[in-house]
Amino acid sequence: MNTDSFALRHIGPRPENIAEMLKTVGVDSLDQLIYETIPDNIRLQKDLDLNEALSEQEYLEHITKLAAKNKMFKTYIGLGYHQSITPPVVQRNVLENPGWYTAYTPYQAEIAQGRLEALLNFQTMVADLTGMELANASLLDEATAAAEAMTLLFAVRDRDQKKRKAVKFFVSEEILPQTLSLLQTRANPLEIELVVGNHEEFNFSEDFFGAILQYPGTSGRIYNYAPFIAQAKEAGIKIAVAADILSLVKLQAPGNFGVDVVVGTTQRFGIPLGYGGPHAAYFATKEEYKRNIPGRIIGVTKDLDGNVALRMALQTREQHIKRDKATSNICTAQVLLAVMASMYGVYHGPKGLQYIANKVHRSAAELTDALEQLGYYQENDYYFDTIRIKTNAAKIKEVAEASEINFYYPEEDTVSISLNEATSLTDLNNIIAVFAHVAGKASIKVTSLEKDIIDKENVARDSDFMTNEVFNKYHSETELMRYIKKLERKDLSLNHSMISLGSCTMKLNAAAEMLPLSYPQWGNIHPFVPIDQAQGYQEVLKKLEDQLTEITGFAATSLQPNSGAQGEFAGLMAIRAYHESRGDHHRNICLIPSSAHGTNPASAVMAGMKVVVTKANESGSIDVEDLKEKALKHKDNLSAVMITYPSTHGVYESAIKEITQIVHDNGGQVYMDGANMNAQVGLTNPGNIGADVCHLNLHKTFAIPHGGGGPGVGPICVAKQLVPFLPGNPIIKTGGENAINAISAAPWGSSLVCLISYAYITMLGPKGLKSSTEHAILNANYIKNRLEGHFTTLYSGERGRAAHEMIIDCRPFKEKGIEVVDIAKRLIDYGFHSPTVSFPVAGTMMIEPTESESKEELDRFCDALISIREEISTVVKEEPNNVLKNAPHTLKMLTSSDWDFPYSREKAAYPLPYVSDNKFWPSVRRVDDAYGDRNLMCTCAPMEEYM
Ligand SMILES: *Cc1c(COP(=O)(O)O)cnc(C)c1O
């Protein structure tokens, strides 16, 4: 046996455990289990056509060689992306720390107070800098955030009688090109009419409901938007502003002008460029729109003892509850990046940010001076970091590239230069030397940064920001390191115990997969550099696309979408474009089974489709008769069906081929939600079952860590007929021949983290991938059999097997007054994160162990559930003062001199022997959700409240 194979590291059960596990499951071999699990008619007949596995060492050598193919030019392209400096203390303690990057979305607030606090800091920082009342905890990128702003303003327009029928949205021609492309993508299906123009010539007519401005403009110009905004307000037109967050340190906050929404990216707050992402976008707005905000909002509330506690607020806006009426389809956001940006804010504080913003601005001003002395004309009268030189762009480009410098060349006679935090005096002088050379003059040297053209103008910021204690306290590294550790310790992540969230696939995020993310040759590449400077990336992205295409059995892949939900939207938009290309403009019905994930209906609505819900039968599978009836009924207008496979109930439906056939026969396309791909890789695939497109969640099946709620990557893989419609980008050509407009801002989405999935596939190879799927199925069935007699499992396949996940029914315990959340919270006392609660069936838990968990960990988890089951049997409804209702138990409770609970402290905190060996303490008692929503507070308390 090759003990150095990565598969042995990735897959949890040891070879010597397998026999016993199979015995528990009741089969003789893994092959028999798979035979009993997956219907024969969809099994793949041969192994995946992928390269043989590399060892970890071989992979690291391979990826280091590829890294050298990315050219490390000094890049001043700007356009929403700027080199920034990740504080090393943040890089090491957050980005490279599994305590942070392996956490899940903070649904279990009691064991997530650390990242919730970091996200509250993020919201506070954004609200302060933008001058708005509240901010969310991240969107996917600036362009999608701008599109969300447009749809929010569209959704609230009917609050104004005069605007009920308005469908026009004004877009300043100063908007970033990728943002415009995304606005087009999103406007079209909603029948919003975009009007692009010069804001100074806008006529404020009746039929506009909103407008968006860029601040500063793409050209770099700073406009005084106050008169425009005042006039728009008078005309009842709502205003969104896309603002550069670093510029806001020096410029008037847009909130001061009374705008409705401010969006942007926080990339330049310490986040690597990563050839396009991932980065956290922000979205800030007024209190009056709080129920319309897209994405996650963190709010302050209290726990059972009245202590301050944090949680995700206003969840009733979100897709998992509101489905087709949700405010957006956002599920996975960019939590890890928002945490990093917030820590950048904590590290620098307001004074540090001022220093950086001044440095960047003064570099631009000094550069302008020097270039003017050389005889060049600089066009922008007011600017923050971006200047425009009128000259022969081709000549400059030639000399600049020879000096390993990238500028942006928007026109033949224009060179645009955006400076950043990392630009040194030497860099400035190198830029000047390029221009001097072209002018045939001796260069000029800048020796200090003095000139400032903003400070004395009316555009200069005159309000304080980030005055809270947290931004003014941790400025020595020791203090910050300990603050980050303090928060980390409050959160349960995969480096503590299994997180068996059904549908979320919390598998190992191996160190070898993660290491290259820290290499500057991967981190420091701007998404719009010429392709020939990013050959390392191009190779990795192409190979990953090919690998995913092979794994899904399709014809091509687009890596652009930044989450599963964005993949759904992208796939549906490709389907829409396909129908339209055939003249079928009327096809707009989307069939979605009732058991579908909430993002499915939310995405369908965004794609301009009408959702028709189809029934599930009592075994949890799609009711084929009902589906057939509805497909027939809508056959003239059928656009698509969205199905999840194996089903959200964890069953490989054997009727799947019949289902896809019915939809095809009625003119529809089949969208497969690939969240459950961990049950398919190497054994079957979406192409094989007759789907036309699927998204994959690379942050589930393909080992990108969840990051506490993002980043994610949601590529779509498509059959031949949909390839021409894969999404494009307005700056770097990508996508199909008839590409739909952009789905994400960057051409290849979140390229940096694509390295992780590439590593995963490359180190597992065809055999390791298949073996992973088999072991995922083994682990789930092992749990199912171990829990037998204690919990009822809902739904299983025709031969009685679970797929890669399984559902246990907790509804019968209601008669004892025990709800599923009590079990979820009691699991915390046992050191475990709860499985998925109440999806897809209310009152149940969906358990997905993944292949990465060892037999020992599965046993601890099963022992915990069985022990909880025994606890349930001892409680009575009339006496809710019990160990389940009071869970989780904090150290503070346990060590208090008052203990008047009818059970021992030991039972509360150490219910099984293994717990005391590695106890995890929740930092608060059960949080009060209702109180938090009633008293919404989404920023850190101001300084005074700490005094
Ligand atoms: C996770 C999930 C999604 C959404 O994916 P995100 O990356 O969170 O946007 C969609 N469908 C199912 C079944 C899922 O489990």
Side-chain angles (χ1 to χ4, degrees), residues 57-110:
Q57 183 55 29
E58 285 166 342
Y59 174 75
L60 289 171
E61 280 173 23
H62 163 73
I63 204 70
T64 304
K65 272 200 197 120
L66 285 181
K69 295 190 180 181
N70 292 326
K71 294 187 182 154
M72 301 290 288
F73 281 25
K74 291 282 176 180
T75 295
Y76 307 103
I77 293 174
L79 292 176
Y81 300 94
H82 306 267
Q83 189 180 344
S84 74
I85 298 169
T86 311
V89 56
V90 175
Q91 172 167 338
R92 173 144 295 190
N93 294 285
V94 180
L95 177 64
E96 297 174 346
N97 180 351
W100 284 95
Y101 66 70
T102 68
Y104 182 64
T105 305
Y107 277 112
Q108 299 296 330
E110 298 81 1

Side-chain angles (χ1 to χ4, degrees), residues 332 562-569 599 603 671 695-697 699 712-714:
T332 289
N562 283 325
S563 72
Q566 295 312 93
E568 292 169 19
F569 176 62
T599 52
S603 301
Y671 185 97
H695 79 255
L696 300 172
N697 302 68
H699 47 301
V713 177

Side-chain angles (χ1 to χ4, degrees), residues 134 152 159 286-294 297 314-317 322 327 933-934 936:
L134 55 147
L152 181 146
R159 293 187 190 174
K286 297 176 172 172
E287 181 91 20
E288 60 178 294
Y289 303 129
K290 66 183 179 194
R291 291 192 187 277
N292 299 86
I293 301 180
I297 311 168
L314 300 175
Q315 288 188 44
T316 49
R317 302 160 295 124
K322 276 276 180 67
T327 53
D933 277 354
R934 276 198 313 274
L936 190 67

Side-chain angles (χ1 to χ4, degrees), residues 476-492:
S476 78
E477 177 160 334
T478 304
E479 284 296 318
L480 182 55
M481 172 180 72
R482 287 180 190 153
Y483 177 60
I484 295 174
K485 183 69 188 172
K486 174 179 133 183
L487 298 193
E488 179 200 338
R489 278 184 10 209
K490 296 182 180 193
D491 290 12
L492 189 145

Side-chain angles (χ1 to χ4, degrees), residues 412-528:
E412 278 173 18
D413 66 345
T414 310
V415 181
S416 169
I417 308 172
S418 294
L419 301 180
N420 60 60
E421 178 191 5
T423 310
S424 64
L425 279 179
T426 310
D427 295 330
L428 271 189
N429 289 322
N430 290 341
I431 296 173
I432 297 165
V434 169
F435 283 85
H437 181 92
V438 172
K441 293 185 182 169
S443 198
I444 296 167
K445 275 218 170 349
V446 174
T447 54
S448 65
L449 303 176
E450 313 287 340
K451 195 171 170 197
D452 192 314
I453 64 163
I454 292 177
D455 272 356
K456 288 182 203 60
E457 299 299 326
N458 60 2
V459 291
R461 184 172 189 111
D462 52 11
S463 49
D464 283 351
F465 59 94
M466 294 162 69
T467 55
N468 321 70
E469 188 179 38
V470 68
F471 298 114
N472 294 282
K473 193 172 170 186
Y474 304 109
H475 294 165
S476 78
E477 177 160 334
T478 304
E479 284 296 318
L480 182 55
M481 172 180 72
R482 287 180 190 153
Y483 177 60
I484 295 174
K485 183 69 188 172
K486 174 179 133 183
L487 298 193
E488 179 200 338
R489 278 184 10 209
K490 296 182 180 193
D491 290 12
L492 189 145
S493 302
L494 279 175
N495 62 356
H496 180 83
S497 59
M498 167 163 90
I499 302 181
S500 60
L501 283 156
S503 207
C504 298
T505 317
M506 301 286 288
K507 60 171 65 176
L508 170 74
N509 316 114
E513 292 157 1
M514 298 296 294
L515 281 178
L517 270 62
S518 300
Y519 301 2
Q521 295 92 331
W522 297 113
N524 198 13
I525 306 290
H526 190 288
F528 300 143

Side-chain angles (χ1 to χ4, degrees), residues 104-105 140 296 319 329-333 502-505 562-568 595-600 644-648 673-676 695-700 706 709 711-714 805 839 846 848:
Y104 182 64
T105 305
L140 299 169
R296 267 79 192 244
Q319 35 71 31
N329 68 343
I330 297 291
C331 186
T332 289
S503 207
C504 298
T505 317
N562 283 325
S563 72
Q566 295 312 93
E568 292 169 19
S595 60
H597 195 264
T599 52
N600 291 189
T644 304
Y645 199 77
S647 73
T648 49
D673 179 324
N676 287 345
H695 79 255
L696 300 172
N697 302 68
L698 297 192
H699 47 301
K700 296 179 179 173
H706 279 252
V713 177
E805 60 190 2
F839 171 77
M846 182 156 60
E848 179 182 0

Side-chain angles (χ1 to χ4, degrees), residues 642-655:
M642 292 184 91
I643 45 174
T644 304
Y645 199 77
S647 73
T648 49
H649 294 113
V651 176
Y652 296 89
E653 290 159 275
S654 51

